[in-house]
Amino acid sequence: MKVLLSSIAKNDIRLLMRVFDAEKENKGNDFLEGLKQSIDGILQTRDDDMRYTEIMMSTMPDFPVNIHYIFEDKENLLITAIFKI
């Protein structure tokens, strides 16, 4: 399955990496690795019978961040935004 990032999500990732790096050195890289793991988890929990019209949300376990996403179809996962909570 392809993972696509909206332009908003790309900007969110850049901003959050800077925010976490400001808190602690290399925490931005830790955030990026955690984000990759969270997206892998989203892909593993996908149900082929689910509706593909609703935006869903997942919380990252190690960071105060919500990932907003939608399965566009059976081939594409679109990350729409990433919010710090």
Side-chain angles (χ1 to χ4, degrees):
M1 176 169 280
K2 259 172 114 169
V3 177
L4 308 170
L5 296 172
S6 71
S7 59
I8 293 170
K10 289 177 186 178
N11 289 333
D12 292 343
I13 292 168
R14 288 184 197 112
L15 174 65
L16 288 169
M17 285 185 70
R18 287 194 303 265
V19 167
F20 290 126
D21 271 338
E23 291 177 7
K24 182 181 173 190
E25 189 174 343
N26 290 324
K27 192 172 181 182
N29 289 334
D30 295 340
F31 161 71
L32 193 57
E33 286 303 313
L35 179 62
K36 290 176 186 177
Q37 291 174 359
S38 293
I39 291 172
D40 285 342
I42 290 168
L43 291 172
Q44 290 176 9
T45 60
R46 180 179 68 92
D47 180 4
D48 285 336
D49 295 328
M50 77 173 41
R51 294 176 51 208
Y52 295 100
T53 58
E54 297 179 22
I55 292 182
M56 295 180 278
M57 184 190 68
S58 177
T59 302
M60 289 182 63
D62 298 329
F63 289 88
V65 171
N66 286 336
I67 303 166
H68 292 243
Y69 63 94
I70 187 168
F71 289 101
E72 289 188 319
D73 51 35
K74 293 184 181 195
E75 302 296 322
N76 297 304
L77 168 66
L78 174 64
I79 307 298
T80 59
I82 301 170
F83 295 103
K84 186 171 186 228
I85 50 176

